[in-house]
């Protein structure tokens, strides 16, 4: 690969860390893992036209490709340290590629820098635009937040608001522009392109949440993974789902509910906490800025079930969440 390009990436993502003995530039990176910590490792790949729309700004792509990985570390209660970046770029003029790299590295660095995350290596190839990021983080032994620890009766909570990113995607697909609609479209599209990984919340949940997952595929799907891993089910109260005023201003109640239940890409945390600990956790997460809303509880009956404001069970249909046919 052209070393000029790799140099551009290295310059724009430079991050001094004592535990990086050898970063970008050799055959492999060398790091010194801290004594007494476990290493949490995750990788996520984003393919143009599948995981992000064609025409996504390079800086947004740089941010999001790291954010989705940091979100996985957050869901484990780990703190980030190092990353690898595999870039597959379509053929383009060298100015086109340099412009892409500069934008991408800028968005990546905007998120990496405040978390002191060092980019320590990667790979660069030609093909359909594809971005793979692998991250490594630290967690004290035995304190990682796994999916399988929920207990019957635990309260289910989520950080932030749900459904914004899916609403933003729908607005984009309808041809919305970020400068229309009282800033609502801008907010929702920003939530799609620039998700905030809930790293501080993940750390605060260590030793307190019994199970945790980040919401990438949608609340019901991802909470379903917690249920399966824990050998339990969950009951969700739809009226409790936290929705932003932007989402509720731009879509009707039924659409907003569907986005919150099934929309992906929010990268909020969904976690379970014993009832006695809920108030404490909510106070701490409010202090961290994201908040935590209780949306339901864990039960013995397998599967995720959703109740409406009248206590009637909803079922998922082709059009979204509807009442069970009478
Ligand atoms: P090799 O052929 O030995 O795998 P490369 O020429 O692929 O080495 O890469 C040279 C150096 O640049 C390596 O240290 C590699 O980790 C780094 N590198 C390559 N591509 C990227 C990238 N997209 N982002 C960060 N580092 C990269
Ligand atoms: Mg290589």
């Amino acid at each position: 690969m052209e070393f000029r390009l790799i140099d551009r990436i290295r310059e724009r993502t430079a991050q001094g860390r004592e535990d990086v003995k050898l970063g970008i530039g050799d055959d492999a990176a060398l790091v010194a893992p801290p004594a007494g910590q476990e290493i949490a490792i995750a990788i996520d790949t984003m393919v143009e036209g599948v995981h992000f729309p064609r025409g996504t700004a390079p800086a947004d792509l740089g941010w999001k490709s790291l954010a989705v990985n940091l979100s996985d570390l957050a869901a484990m209660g780990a703190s980030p340290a190092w990353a690898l970046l595999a870039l597959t770029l379509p053929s383009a003029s060298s100015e086109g590629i340099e412009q892409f790299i500069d934008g991408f590295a800028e968005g990546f660095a905007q998120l990496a820098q405040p978390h002191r995350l060092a980019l320590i290596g990667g790979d660069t190839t030609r093909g359909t635009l594809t971005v793979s990021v692998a991250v490594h983080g630290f967690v004290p032994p035995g304190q990682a937040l796994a999916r399988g620890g929920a207990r019957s009766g635990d309260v289910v909570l989520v950080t932030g608001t749900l459904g914004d990113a899916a609403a933003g995607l729908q607005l984009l697909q309808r041809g919305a522009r970020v400068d229309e609609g009282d800033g609502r479209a801008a907010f929702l599209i920003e939530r799609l392109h620039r998700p905030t990984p809930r790293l501080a919340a993940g750390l605060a949940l260590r030793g307190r949440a019994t199970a945790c997952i980040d919401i990438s595929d949608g609340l019901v799907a991802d909470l379903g993974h917690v249920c399966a891993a824990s050998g339990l089910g969950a009951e969700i109260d739809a009226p409790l789902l936290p929705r932003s005023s932007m989402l509720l201003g731009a879509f009707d109640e039924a659409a907003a509910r569907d986005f919150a239940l099934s929309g992906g890409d929010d990268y909020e945390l969904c976690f379970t906490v014993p009832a006695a600990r809920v108030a404490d956790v909510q106070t701490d997460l409010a202090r961290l800025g994201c908040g935590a809303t209780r949306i339901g509880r864990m039960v013995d009956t397998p599967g995720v079930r959703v109740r409406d404001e009248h206590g009637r069970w909803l079922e998922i249909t082709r059009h979204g969440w509807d009442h069970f046919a009478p």
Side-chain angles (χ1 to χ4, degrees):
M1 188 58 211
E2 305 106 271
F3 294 105
R4 257 179 333 105
L5 284 186
I6 296 171
D7 280 344
R8 288 178 103 90
I9 296 176
R10 190 182 48 205
E11 284 160 20
R12 285 164 177 75
T13 59
Q15 178 68 246
R17 282 188 69 104
E18 298 240 304
D19 55 10
V20 178
K21 302 303 170 191
L22 202 48
I24 294 172
D26 217 304
D27 291 313
L30 285 178
V31 292
Q37 298 277 315
E38 290 177 346
I39 312 282
I41 306 174
I43 184 166
D44 256 307
T45 297
M46 302 191 2
V47 180
E48 183 179 53
V50 180
H51 304 97
F52 61 92
R54 191 176 287 273
T56 300
D60 287 338
L61 197 51
W63 173 289
K64 186 163 180 177
S65 63
L66 178 57
V68 302
N69 279 281
L70 293 184
S71 177
D72 282 324
L73 292 185
M76 298 301 289
S79 53
W82 315 308
L84 297 168
L85 166 64
L87 273 180
T88 305
L89 304 173
S91 307
S93 66
S94 54
E95 301 94 85
I97 291 183
E98 279 173 17
Q99 251 180 28
F100 177 89
I101 291 287
D102 290 356
F104 183 93
E106 183 195 322
F108 187 98
Q110 275 175 353
L111 181 57
Q113 251 150 27
H115 295 294
R116 297 204 54 246
L117 174 116
L119 182 65
I120 58 172
D123 197 16
T124 311
T125 53
R126 290 263 175 261
T128 303
L129 180 56
T130 302
V131 183
S132 255
V133 175
V135 288
H136 307 70
F138 307 145
V139 62
Q143 288 194 37
L145 303 169
R147 298 177 178 184
R151 286 175 295 225
S152 189
D154 282 354
V155 175
V156 179
L157 299 99
V158 292
T159 59
T161 55
L162 299 181
D164 296 325
L169 180 61
Q170 185 163 115
L171 290 177
L172 273 185
Q173 285 166 343
R174 284 187 198 162
R177 297 204 335 246
V178 292
D179 53 3
E180 64 189 48
D182 310 331
R184 283 180 199 138
F187 172 87
L188 297 170
I189 293 169
E190 176 100 352
R191 288 273 288 158
L192 173 70
H193 286 323
R194 300 248 172 172
T196 306
R198 300 300 187 188
L199 285 155
L203 294 195
L205 292 174
R206 277 184 195 164
R208 302 161 91 190
T210 48
C212 185
I213 194 168
D214 67 320
I215 303 177
S216 52
D217 296 335
L219 171 68
V220 172
D222 289 316
L223 179 55
H225 298 314
V226 170
C227 290
S230 300
L232 295 171
E235 292 178 357
I236 299 304
D237 287 301
L240 299 182
L241 296 170
R243 273 97 43 91
S244 68
S245 59
M246 305 294 188
L247 174 61
L248 293 170
F251 289 88
D252 68 26
E253 168 58 33
R257 184 179 69 191
D258 289 353
F259 285 136
L261 287 170
S262 310
D265 275 330
D266 282 321
Y267 297 97
E268 297 295 344
L269 298 182
C270 175
F271 55 96
T272 57
V273 171
R277 247 184 250 157
V278 169
D280 268 3
V281 165
Q282 284 185 307
T283 304
D284 286 2
L285 268 55
R287 207 175 286 137
L288 293 175
C290 60
T293 305
R294 55 190 304 165
I295 59 167
R297 61 191 191 96
M298 300 301 292
V299 297
D300 291 316
T301 314
V304 177
R305 298 199 299 160
V306 182
R307 220 172 358 223
D308 73 3
E309 67 274 27
H310 308 296
R312 288 179 299 194
W313 296 109
L314 299 174
E315 77 175 331
I316 182 121
T317 69
R318 206 154 46 86
H319 307 288
W321 287 83
D322 285 328
H323 294 107
F324 278 128

